[in-house]
PDB file of all heavy atoms in Angstrom:
ATOM      1  N   ILE N1655     161.637 119.708 179.266  1.00  0.00           N
ATOM      2  CA  ILE N1655     161.865 119.755 177.818  1.00  0.00           C
ATOM      3  C   ILE N1655     163.023 118.839 177.426  1.00  0.00           C
ATOM      4  O   ILE N1655     162.957 118.118 176.419  1.00  0.00           O
ATOM      5  CB  ILE N1655     162.132 121.201 177.380  1.00  0.00           C
ATOM      6  CG1 ILE N1655     160.881 122.055 177.604  1.00  0.00           C
ATOM      7  CG2 ILE N1655     162.567 121.250 175.917  1.00  0.00           C
ATOM      8  CD1 ILE N1655     161.061 123.512 177.265  1.00  0.00           C
ATOM      9  N   LEU N1656     164.081 118.839 178.260  1.00  0.00           N
ATOM     10  CA  LEU N1656     165.220 117.961 177.973  1.00  0.00           C
ATOM     11  C   LEU N1656     164.818 116.492 178.038  1.00  0.00           C
ATOM     12  O   LEU N1656     165.233 115.678 177.203  1.00  0.00           O
ATOM     13  CB  LEU N1656     166.355 118.245 178.957  1.00  0.00           C
ATOM     14  CG  LEU N1656     167.040 119.616 178.820  1.00  0.00           C
ATOM     15  CD1 LEU N1656     168.081 119.796 179.923  1.00  0.00           C
ATOM     16  CD2 LEU N1656     167.704 119.744 177.449  1.00  0.00           C
ATOM     17  N   VAL N1657     163.988 116.160 179.021  1.00  0.00           N
ATOM     18  CA  VAL N1657     163.519 114.777 179.136  1.00  0.00           C
ATOM     19  C   VAL N1657     162.664 114.411 177.926  1.00  0.00           C
ATOM     20  O   VAL N1657     162.764 113.299 177.377  1.00  0.00           O
ATOM     21  CB  VAL N1657     162.731 114.585 180.449  1.00  0.00           C
ATOM     22  CG1 VAL N1657     162.039 113.220 180.461  1.00  0.00           C
ATOM     23  CG2 VAL N1657     163.660 114.709 181.653  1.00  0.00           C
ATOM     24  N   ALA N1658     161.804 115.345 177.488  1.00  0.00           N
ATOM     25  CA  ALA N1658     160.954 115.080 176.320  1.00  0.00           C
ATOM     26  C   ALA N1658     161.801 114.848 175.072  1.00  0.00           C
ATOM     27  O   ALA N1658     161.515 113.950 174.266  1.00  0.00           O
ATOM     28  CB  ALA N1658     159.994 116.244 176.104  1.00  0.00           C
ATOM     29  N   ILE N1659     162.850 115.651 174.901  1.00  0.00           N
ATOM     30  CA  ILE N1659     163.734 115.469 173.746  1.00  0.00           C
ATOM     31  C   ILE N1659     164.429 114.117 173.815  1.00  0.00           C
ATOM     32  O   ILE N1659     164.568 113.409 172.802  1.00  0.00           O
ATOM     33  CB  ILE N1659     164.761 116.617 173.676  1.00  0.00           C
ATOM     34  CG1 ILE N1659     164.046 117.946 173.394  1.00  0.00           C
ATOM     35  CG2 ILE N1659     165.813 116.340 172.613  1.00  0.00           C
ATOM     36  CD1 ILE N1659     164.963 119.152 173.426  1.00  0.00           C
ATOM     37  N   LEU N1660     164.867 113.729 175.037  1.00  0.00           N
ATOM     38  CA  LEU N1660     165.528 112.432 175.205  1.00  0.00           C
ATOM     39  C   LEU N1660     164.575 111.287 174.869  1.00  0.00           C
ATOM     40  O   LEU N1660     164.941 110.350 174.137  1.00  0.00           O
ATOM     41  CB  LEU N1660     166.037 112.301 176.642  1.00  0.00           C
ATOM     42  CG  LEU N1660     166.697 110.958 177.003  1.00  0.00           C
ATOM     43  CD1 LEU N1660     167.943 110.733 176.145  1.00  0.00           C
ATOM     44  CD2 LEU N1660     167.047 110.914 178.488  1.00  0.00           C
ATOM     45  N   VAL N1661     163.360 111.372 175.405  1.00  0.00           N
ATOM     46  CA  VAL N1661     162.367 110.323 175.121  1.00  0.00           C
ATOM     47  C   VAL N1661     162.058 110.265 173.628  1.00  0.00           C
ATOM     48  O   VAL N1661     161.922 109.172 173.050  1.00  0.00           O
ATOM     49  CB  VAL N1661     161.080 110.572 175.940  1.00  0.00           C
ATOM     50  CG1 VAL N1661     159.982 109.612 175.514  1.00  0.00           C
ATOM     51  CG2 VAL N1661     161.363 110.431 177.425  1.00  0.00           C
ATOM     52  N   GLU N1662     161.958 111.423 172.997  1.00  0.00           N
ATOM     53  CA  GLU N1662     161.685 111.469 171.565  1.00  0.00           C
ATOM     54  C   GLU N1662     162.769 110.750 170.780  1.00  0.00           C
ATOM     55  O   GLU N1662     162.480 109.933 169.892  1.00  0.00           O
ATOM     56  CB  GLU N1662     161.590 112.923 171.116  1.00  0.00           C
ATOM     57  CG  GLU N1662     161.442 113.110 169.613  1.00  0.00           C
ATOM     58  CD  GLU N1662     161.579 114.564 169.230  1.00  0.00           C
ATOM     59  OE1 GLU N1662     160.615 115.314 169.468  1.00  0.00           O
ATOM     60  OE2 GLU N1662     162.653 114.943 168.707  1.00  0.00           O
ATOM     61  N   HIS N1663     164.035 111.021 171.112  1.00  0.00           N
ATOM     62  CA  HIS N1663     165.134 110.378 170.393  1.00  0.00           C
ATOM     63  C   HIS N1663     165.172 108.875 170.666  1.00  0.00           C
ATOM     64  O   HIS N1663     165.494 108.085 169.767  1.00  0.00           O
ATOM     65  CB  HIS N1663     166.464 111.027 170.786  1.00  0.00           C
ATOM     66  CG  HIS N1663     166.697 112.351 170.121  1.00  0.00           C
ATOM     67  ND1 HIS N1663     165.943 113.476 170.400  1.00  0.00           N
ATOM     68  CD2 HIS N1663     167.598 112.733 169.173  1.00  0.00           C
ATOM     69  CE1 HIS N1663     166.371 114.489 169.671  1.00  0.00           C
ATOM     70  NE2 HIS N1663     167.376 114.065 168.910  1.00  0.00           N
ATOM     71  N   VAL N1664     164.855 108.491 171.901  1.00  0.00           N
ATOM     72  CA  VAL N1664     164.833 107.054 172.220  1.00  0.00           C
ATOM     73  C   VAL N1664     163.752 106.350 171.406  1.00  0.00           C
ATOM     74  O   VAL N1664     163.968 105.263 170.848  1.00  0.00           O
ATOM     75  CB  VAL N1664     164.613 106.838 173.735  1.00  0.00           C
ATOM     76  CG1 VAL N1664     164.334 105.365 174.028  1.00  0.00           C
ATOM     77  CG2 VAL N1664     165.828 107.308 174.516  1.00  0.00           C
ATOM     78  N   LEU N1665     162.577 106.965 171.318  1.00  0.00           N
ATOM     79  CA  LEU N1665     161.486 106.349 170.564  1.00  0.00           C
ATOM     80  C   LEU N1665     161.795 106.309 169.068  1.00  0.00           C
ATOM     81  O   LEU N1665     161.434 105.346 168.379  1.00  0.00           O
ATOM     82  CB  LEU N1665     160.189 107.112 170.814  1.00  0.00           C
ATOM     83  CG  LEU N1665     159.584 106.940 172.212  1.00  0.00           C
ATOM     84  CD1 LEU N1665     158.379 107.843 172.389  1.00  0.00           C
ATOM     85  CD2 LEU N1665     159.200 105.487 172.462  1.00  0.00           C
ATOM     86  N   ILE N1666     162.463 107.354 168.550  1.00  0.00           N
ATOM     87  CA  ILE N1666     162.867 107.327 167.144  1.00  0.00           C
ATOM     88  C   ILE N1666     163.868 106.202 166.914  1.00  0.00           C
ATOM     89  O   ILE N1666     163.812 105.490 165.896  1.00  0.00           O
ATOM     90  CB  ILE N1666     163.463 108.689 166.733  1.00  0.00           C
ATOM     91  CG1 ILE N1666     162.358 109.747 166.669  1.00  0.00           C
ATOM     92  CG2 ILE N1666     164.157 108.585 165.380  1.00  0.00           C
ATOM     93  CD1 ILE N1666     162.857 111.135 166.328  1.00  0.00           C
TER      94      ILE N1666
END
Side-chain angles (χ1 to χ4, degrees):
I1655 295 177
L1656 292 176
V1657 170
I1659 294 175
L1660 177 62
V1661 172
E1662 174 189 284
H1663 283 68
V1664 170
L1665 289 175
I1666 289 178

